[in-house]
Amino acid sequence: MADKITLEVFRYRPDDNSEPSFQKYMIPLQRDWVILDALNYIKDHIDGTLSYRWSCRMGICGSCGMMVNEKPVLTCAAFLENLIPGPVRIEPLENFPVVRDLVIDMRDFLEKLKRVKPWIIREQEDPAIEEYKQTPDQLADFKQYSMCINCMLCYSACPVYGLEPEFTGPAVIALAQRYNMDNRDHGNSARMDALSDESGMWQCTFIGDCSKVCPKKVDPAGAIQRYKVHGANTWWKNLLLPWAKDK
Amino acid sequence: MTNTTKSSGKSYKKEMPILWWTRRTSHIIFVMRELTSLGVAYFAIILLLLIGAISQGEESYYEFIKLMKSPILIWLSIISLLGLIFHSVTWFNLAPKAMVVKFGKYRIPGIVIMLSNYAGWIVISIIVGRFLLY
Amino acid sequence: MKSHVEPFWWSLFGAGGAISALFLPVLSIIIGLAIPFGWIDIPSYEHIYGIFEPLSVRLVLLAIISLSLFHWAHRFRFTLYEGLQLHRFKYIIAILCYGSAITIVAFASYSLWNY
């Protein structure tokens, strides 16, 4: 058993006016370690200046996404053992501006998320009704899309987002679908407005990598294609039956 | 929206190379899938020219067939056919992602939608072949 | 509801994708390979002329040709945007792609009508 493995970690420290570079760290190879454990080992024992985001260590907070050997992954779920013999290249999530080392600026994503109103919108709220019931089938319609943890791996995998930063992107459209398909929601047409312009779903060319990298099997690519079908149907309906109202 | 700001006011953004899709096999396959549209357009135009030749009379019909036997057009036919088949296969495989069919509460599994696409392909091919040749 | 033209082009792209996936391979095998290579006898002129005589057949053929072309126009437009990063020329590219499809479709309608 080789007991050491090399990590090549992307470094960017804007305060030093330095150009981005890769720094090599030799670390002990523990079979039960994930990449995040290795980064924590570096931070604690080798180089305290390394910056990166993490929180829960169990694939639910969505904050430790990075590029590992050019693939976007949650570093808390990527085992070192599968990357033997190395070296393992660790970079910040692609397609985002890098603030420092492995930390990216996610404000663009949050801004876009807000635009699709990811909450239940009701035409009228009746305070007398204490709960809005939902059958298991109705839940099944959108449950998959509600699993998204906003880790943004799909944005890193999406070349369209890389080429056109205006593009709303996979997770946000999938989350719009999560509410559109909820039987308690009435916000479909408001979200359609936000997503049917040039920056919206029509930019997507169904490359499909977003669904491949999703750690929660949300399948944003499928969500976007379904939304396109819905958008096209709505468009023809508005053209041919302008008097009919949609949800 | 913004790429800059942060306490120091600086951030780093990697540019995508022009031919970004050459770096990954899945992206090369994606671009190949997109380029099948050229085969589709090419063959649509061939069909149109064939109809034009037929409507102009017997002589131009046989001339058109002679033209189709020229080496350049044979090669174009082979390449465009490969593209057309790749287009059909990728189209049918991805169809279940966009098509969700429900019978009441029951959602038809994607594999059934995909297979019915293939079944339709076979049936239509047989009908068109018989229609054209017999 | 804001109105955008993108869903219209996408509908044509989708319809064209389906119709070309179903119809074109068999037609291409027969016309592009089987006849030129002599795997099958060349259909006689009378036979082939008769096939396209009914207006309904010509309408189906027009649908196949025009939707296929709109399928190409839409897909190729995005191939140029993305594959070669030509997004800054997006209006010119859109006009060229859809424009040439419309031109050929107009020509196809004319020649199928005057068959």
Side-chain angles (χ1 to χ4, degrees):
Chain A
M1 177 178 153
D3 357 80
K4 296 213 173 256
I5 191 162
T6 303
L7 263 53
E8 294 174 358
V9 182
F10 181 93
R11 300 299 310 264
Y12 174 63
R13 282 144 294 170
D15 357 325
D16 299 358
N17 281 324
S18 57
E19 285 299 301
S21 59
F22 282 92
Q23 193 162 344
K24 282 185 186 164
Y25 299 100
M26 181 96 91
I27 56 148
L29 174 62
Q30 305 265 13
R31 296 251 159 193
D32 54 352
W33 272 8
V34 290
I35 297 284
L36 183 59
D37 293 320
L39 290 174
N40 285 340
Y41 178 87
I42 295 171
K43 177 104 179 165
D44 291 345
H45 300 281
I46 306 177
D47 184 351
T49 66
L50 183 64
S51 300
Y52 52 97
R53 281 197 188 101
W54 65 286
S55 177
C56 78
R57 291 173 297 147
M58 48 196 266
I60 200 64
C61 74
S63 48
C64 70
M66 295 168 208
M67 307 297 290
V68 173
N69 288 344
E70 305 194 319
K71 283 201 189 84
V73 294
L74 294 182
T75 48
C76 68
F79 280 90
L80 267 184
E81 191 179 34
N82 300 330
L83 301 161
I84 293 171
V88 182
R89 189 163 263 234
I90 299 167
E91 292 165 273
L93 282 181
E94 223 159 73
N95 299 335
F96 291 98
V98 182
V99 174
R100 185 184 180 88
D101 294 343
L102 300 166
V103 179
I104 52 111
D105 183 348
M106 63 172 89
R107 278 174 300 175
D108 181 49
F109 171 78
L110 296 173
E111 190 57 45
K112 283 168 175 162
L113 187 57
K114 219 160 48 183
R115 243 187 271 163
V116 299
K117 306 185 198 308
W119 54 80
I120 287 180
I121 299 170
R122 291 194 64 86
E123 272 163 7
Q124 275 178 327
E125 200 65 64
D126 183 356
I129 301 173
E130 284 178 353
E131 55 187 354
Y132 295 100
K133 289 187 177 154
Q134 189 161 59
T135 66
D137 301 305
Q138 288 169 328
L139 174 65
D141 280 344
F142 66 82
K143 189 168 179 209
Q144 178 189 11
Y145 304 137
S146 73
M147 304 310 278
C148 174
I149 56 172
N150 298 2
C151 66
M152 297 172 289
L153 297 192
C154 52
Y155 281 74
S156 273
C158 176
V160 178
Y161 181 62
L163 295 164
E164 272 307 300
E166 287 292 301
F167 176 45
T168 314
V172 167
I173 303 181
L175 280 163
Q177 281 290 63
R178 179 253 170 271
Y179 291 94
N180 285 333
M181 293 185 167
D182 190 319
N183 65 302
R184 302 165 295 183
D185 176 83
H186 301 144
N188 211 326
S189 68
R191 290 189 201 100
M192 185 66 87
D193 276 351
L195 287 173
S196 52
D197 68 3
E198 248 192 291
S199 61
M201 57 183 149
W202 306 109
Q203 280 289 318
C204 166
T205 43
F206 203 175
I207 298 167
D209 284 3
C210 52
S211 295
K212 280 185 215 151
V213 301
C214 179
K216 294 290 161 186
K217 307 237 180 327
V218 170
D219 191 10
I224 300 173
Q225 308 323 307
R226 286 178 74 183
Y227 207 25
K228 285 183 194 167
V229 172
H230 175 71
N233 288 342
T234 311
W235 190 89
W236 286 101
K237 215 173 83 188
N238 285 342
L239 183 77
L240 303 171
L241 311 163
W243 53 87
K245 264 198 82 174
D246 49 34
K247 176 184 132 176
Chain B
M1 296 266 93
T2 48
N3 296 346
T4 46
T5 71
K6 178 59 190 156
S7 51
S8 68
K10 267 191 287 183
S11 66
Y12 165 77
K13 183 121 194 244
K14 207 157 90 178
E15 292 294 318
M16 269 171 94
I18 293 265
L19 298 180
W20 55 271
W21 44 271
T22 52
R23 292 183 301 170
R24 236 165 253 179
T25 326
S26 72
H27 291 163
I28 293 175
I29 293 170
F30 159 73
V31 168
M32 276 166 55
R33 185 191 85 193
E34 298 302 286
L35 286 176
T36 61
S37 70
L38 290 172
V40 169
Y42 169 77
F43 193 71
I45 291 168
I46 289 289
L47 264 184
L48 181 57
L49 295 176
L50 171 67
I51 293 302
I54 294 170
S55 77
Q56 273 173 25
E58 192 161 353
E59 209 172 298
S60 59
Y61 167 65
Y62 287 111
E63 231 162 69
F64 182 83
I65 287 194
K66 216 171 100 188
L67 186 70
M68 290 301 287
K69 288 182 181 176
S70 68
I72 294 174
L73 286 193
I74 292 265
W75 277 112
L76 283 174
S77 291
I78 292 171
I79 293 164
S80 71
L81 175 64
L82 291 176
L84 287 172
I85 290 171
F86 192 56
H87 164 60
S88 298
V89 170
T90 49
W91 192 269
F92 298 143
N93 288 354
L94 293 177
K97 291 267 190 189
M99 273 165 72
V100 171
V101 188
K102 285 177 89 176
F103 261 127
K105 288 177 178 175
Y106 180 69
R107 181 172 162 177
I108 297 183
I111 184 88
V112 175
I113 294 178
M114 189 180 97
L115 290 177
S116 54
N117 272 292
Y118 277 101
W121 189 24
I122 293 168
V123 170
I124 284 179
S125 299
I126 293 169
I127 293 174
V128 169
R130 283 197 64 92
F131 189 75
L132 210 59
L133 299 175
Y134 299 103
Chain C
M1 180 81 201
K2 285 186 248 169
S3 82
H4 298 281
V5 74
E6 208 65 71
F8 170 72
W9 294 122
W10 188 82
S11 306
L12 293 184
F13 159 79
I19 209 166
S20 59
L22 291 168
F23 283 89
L24 293 192
V26 60
L27 288 167
S28 168
I29 288 172
I30 295 172
I31 297 163
L33 296 181
I35 294 176
F37 277 118
W39 300 338
I40 52 172
D41 294 335
I42 299 174
S44 73
Y45 180 71
E46 289 71 31
H47 172 75
I48 210 91
Y49 184 83
I51 284 178
F52 297 106
E53 193 116 68
L55 186 62
S56 55
V57 176
R58 276 179 282 148
L59 282 176
V60 171
L61 198 67
L62 181 63
I64 294 174
I65 291 174
S66 37
L67 289 173
S68 295
L69 288 167
F70 284 119
H71 170 81
W72 162 79
H74 188 78
R75 195 167 235 187
F76 195 58
R77 176 185 147 215
F78 280 96
T79 311
L80 293 178
Y81 286 0
E82 293 172 352
L84 298 174
Q85 296 198 25
L86 297 175
H87 216 276
R88 52 186 184 274
F89 302 116
K90 59 182 175 181
Y91 293 112
I92 295 176
I93 290 174
I95 289 167
L96 284 178
C97 286
Y98 297 127
S100 46
I102 291 169
T103 311
I104 303 172
V105 167
F107 179 72
S109 316
Y110 174 82
S111 62
L112 280 163
W113 183 254
N114 292 306
Y115 180 69

